[in-house]
Structure formats: C-alpha cells, structure tokens
C-alpha cells in the first residue's frame, strides 16, 4: 500500500541520516574556519554566576528539592523550571558564530523534520568540549528535579540550535521530545511573541488538557520533562535562536523506548545515537551508541 511505501521510505531516510551526518562533520572539521573559536569549549565565564551558585548548592551537603526550588522559577504543577544559564556576552558571541556558519558554504544538517533552520551542534564538533561538560554540570540539578527519569544519570544527549524568523520557521507544532529531560535556552536575538506553550505529560494525558504559556528570557533556560507535550507559538517580528539539549538516561530508556513505548530493539549508530546501551560484556565500558530499530 501507499502508506507502507511511505513508512519504508522514511525508515530508509532515517538510517542514512547517521552516515550523512558523519560525512558533514568531517568536511566541517577540515574546512570550516570559526569566527569565535573560543565558544566551542565550555568555560565558567560563559555561565551566569547564578547558574554556578545553583550547581554549588546542589552539590553541597544536605541539598534537597525544596532548597533548590528557592533558586528556580516554577511554572504551574507541570515541573517546568527556569534558571539562568549563560551570560549575555556569551549568547551574543555564540549566535554570531552560528550566523557565520549559516552564511558559509559548509554542508548543513537540520535538527529534524519540524525544524528546517538551525544547526546540529555535534556536526560543529561541540559535543565533547562544550555539551558533555554542560550536561554533567546539570546532573546535580536534574538529580533533584527528576529522580524518577534518571536525572542523576543522564549519560548522553542530542543538542541543536533552532532558529525562527518571519521568512523561515515561524512556530513549532505540538510534540514531545526523544529525551528524559530537555534544556531549552533562549539565546536571543531581538524578537516579539513566540512564547512556548506546555500541555500534559505524554504518558498521563487528561480528557481536557490544560496549557500554560512561558515567555523566553535571554540567557535563561527552561528545564522540563522530555515527555511534556509542548510547542512554540509564532514569532511576530525579529529572529529567535534557542539552544535545545535533549538529555537521555540509558538506565531509563533501556527498559522502554520513550517513542515506541516498547522494549527497544537496538541497531548500532555513531556517537550517542539515541542514548540506549547494549548489555555490557566483561570489562567493557558502557557505550551510548544505539538506536531503537523502530
């Protein structure tokens, strides 16, 4: 049937994505000259002092959820939290670097079928020097906020930057993420409207879902459960850039794929894949390089 052929074509497209991404990264590594090479390696000076203070609190003796919540903005009862992440200076330099890359003739992969504009940060070589240390910095925070989602053992990620503007992507439809916990940081630039909206948790839908809107604040990040249904309303003017980090816990997703809701059947992938791990053989390091075949 036509539907079966469409599904087959989509499966094939997804299998080729990994290989294509590896090829693009090799070309970028060889040929691209960064405008701001310093932004590729995470430094404390990029992080808001309040962020560092929150991490200090979470790693102190006796740190608990109630104490942490006094540092964060909370939204309704949906377990959505806002916290300072980056300085304004870093956000400006980072967006300038991303624009420089966009204007180059380098090959560009796009975040997904819903975001046609933006940058896959692993293809820029930012996984190890920037994103892994950022995820590890967040672990004491997510451990307190989302213990049942593996917040203490988020061991891989997929990170990208999305861009919205009037002549490109305006908004983003309702969806949930292939992640246990998502970090969404507003990088700027100048824009109006474009609020995020959040509905129910995907695994606990209600007959009449309630929605809340949350505004973007430059340099600040939202932490939410990956399964929280959400979307982005249209921007009215300007350009909006956001860093999205899908953080995954293999301990959780090895039990149940969050997308197909079944025990995952794995196929090998490059890099972090979708964050599943094969059972360990003796004396092997765990590797998060596998995808759910579905």
């Amino acid at each position: 049937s036509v539907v079966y052929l469409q599904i087959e074509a989509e499966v094939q497209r997804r299998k080729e994505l990994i290989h294509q991404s590896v090829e693009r990264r090799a070309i970028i590594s060889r040929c691209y000259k960064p405008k701001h090479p310093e932004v590729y390696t995470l430094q404390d000076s990029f992080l808001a002092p309040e962020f560092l203070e929150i991490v200090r609190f979470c790693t102190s003796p006796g740190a608990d959820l109630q104490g942490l919540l006094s540092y964060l903005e909370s939204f309704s009862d949906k377990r959505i939290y806002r916290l300072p992440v980056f300085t304004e200076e870093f956000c400006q330099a980072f967006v300038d670097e991303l624009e420089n890359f966009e204007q180059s003739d380098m090959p560009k992969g796009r975040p997904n079928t819903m975001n046609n504009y933006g940058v896959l940060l692993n293809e820029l070589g930012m996984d190890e020097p920037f994103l892994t240390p950022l995820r590890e910095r967040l672990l004491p925070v997510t451990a307190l906020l989302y213990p049942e989602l593996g917040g203490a053992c988020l061991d891989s990620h997929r990170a990208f930057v999305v861009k919205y503007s009037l002549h490109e992507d305006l908004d983003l439809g309702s969806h949930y993420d292939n992640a246990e916990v998502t970090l969404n940081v507003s990088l700027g630039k100048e824009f109006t409207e474009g609020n995020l909206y959040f509905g129910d948790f995907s695994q606990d839908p209600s007959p009449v879902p309630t929605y809340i809107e949350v505004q973007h604040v430059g340099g600040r990040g939202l932490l939410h459960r990956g399964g929280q249904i959400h979307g982005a309303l249209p921007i009215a003017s300007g350009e909006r850039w956001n860093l999205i980090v899908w953080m995954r816990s293999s301990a959780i997703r090895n039990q149940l794929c969050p997308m197909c809701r079944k025990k995952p059947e794995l196929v090998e992938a490059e890099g972090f894949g979708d964050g599943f791990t094969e059972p360990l053989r003796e004396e092997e390091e765990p590797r998060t390089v596998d995808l759910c075949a579905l």
Side-chain angles (χ1 to χ4, degrees):
S1 73
V2 173
V3 173
Y4 177 78
L5 290 174
Q6 287 174 335
I7 292 170
E8 277 287 292
E10 177 61 14
V11 168
Q12 196 54 41
R13 185 189 74 83
R14 292 186 182 202
K15 284 180 178 176
E16 289 168 3
L17 284 177
I18 299 157
H19 177 64
Q20 292 166 354
S21 184
V22 170
E23 287 186 340
R24 284 193 299 267
R25 180 173 176 181
I27 293 168
I28 292 164
S29 174
R30 195 167 60 243
C31 305
Y32 176 61
K33 185 170 172 48
K35 183 175 180 182
H36 298 282
E38 70 280 1
V39 304
Y40 287 73
T41 301
L42 186 66
Q43 301 173 35
D44 276 5
S45 59
F46 300 165
L47 298 167
E50 302 96 324
F51 177 87
L52 297 171
E53 179 58 33
I54 289 167
V55 172
R56 265 195 298 273
F57 168 77
C58 291
T59 52
S60 66
D64 61 3
L65 176 61
Q66 213 49 48
L68 170 59
L69 293 180
S70 68
Y71 288 89
L72 308 177
E73 289 179 79
S74 301
F75 297 92
S76 77
D77 59 353
K78 297 181 186 291
R79 300 173 71 192
I80 302 159
Y81 307 101
R82 181 155 61 201
L83 72 165
V85 179
F86 297 125
T87 65
E88 186 181 340
E89 294 75 22
F90 168 76
C91 290
Q92 289 175 352
F94 190 29
V95 170
D96 197 39
E97 175 62 35
L98 295 166
E99 288 184 317
N100 187 67
F101 176 72
E102 276 292 306
Q103 289 155 15
S104 74
D105 59 1
M106 291 295 107
K108 299 170 184 79
R110 298 308 182 185
N112 48 57
T113 53
M114 298 175 77
N115 295 107
N116 301 298
Y117 301 89
V119 181
L120 292 166
L121 296 180
N122 68 310
E123 294 186 4
L124 281 181
M126 294 188 74
D127 261 349
E128 287 310 311
F130 189 100
L131 294 157
T132 292
L134 179 62
R135 166 170 52 80
E136 290 172 348
R137 282 294 188 88
L138 280 163
L139 283 177
V141 182
T142 54
L144 289 173
L145 294 177
Y146 307 108
E148 82 292 358
L149 295 173
C153 50
L154 298 168
D155 53 358
S156 70
H157 59 262
R158 173 181 169 83
F160 48 94
V161 171
V162 292
K163 176 191 175 192
Y164 298 90
S165 69
L166 291 183
H167 304 296
E168 298 175 339
D169 286 337
L170 269 180
D171 55 13
L172 186 62
S174 188
H175 66 285
Y176 61 91
D177 300 337
N178 184 357
E180 274 63 70
V181 179
T182 295
L183 174 69
N184 180 336
V185 187
S186 176
L187 302 171
K189 303 164 58 171
E190 294 292 324
F191 60 91
T192 56
E193 304 295 335
N195 288 352
L196 296 175
Y197 62 87
F198 292 89
D200 288 344
F201 189 55
S202 61
Q203 294 166 34
D204 187 25
S206 57
V208 184
T210 58
Y211 288 89
I212 62 162
E213 275 188 46
V214 180
Q215 281 188 314
H216 300 277
V217 179
R220 292 181 177 250
L222 290 169
L223 281 169
H224 64 83
R225 296 173 293 179
Q228 193 80 45
I229 293 167
H230 59 286
L233 296 169
I235 66 164
S237 67
E239 264 184 25
R240 176 164 80 76
W241 293 75
N242 285 64
L243 167 66
I244 313 293
V245 187
W246 288 355
M247 297 182 286
R248 286 128 171 204
S249 168
S250 59
I252 299 295
R253 59 183 40 223
N254 285 351
Q255 309 305 311
L256 198 70
C257 172
M259 306 310 282
C260 69
R261 307 298 303 156
K262 295 176 183 171
K263 178 81 177 172
E265 296 176 34
L266 301 180
V267 292
E268 278 204 12
E270 293 279 343
F272 284 132
D274 275 348
F276 302 92
T277 51
E278 285 280 17
L280 287 182
R281 298 180 189 89
E282 278 185 39
E283 297 177 12
E284 265 197 345
E285 287 292 310
R287 297 177 304 144
T288 49
V289 295
D290 300 290
L291 303 169
C292 180
L294 295 175

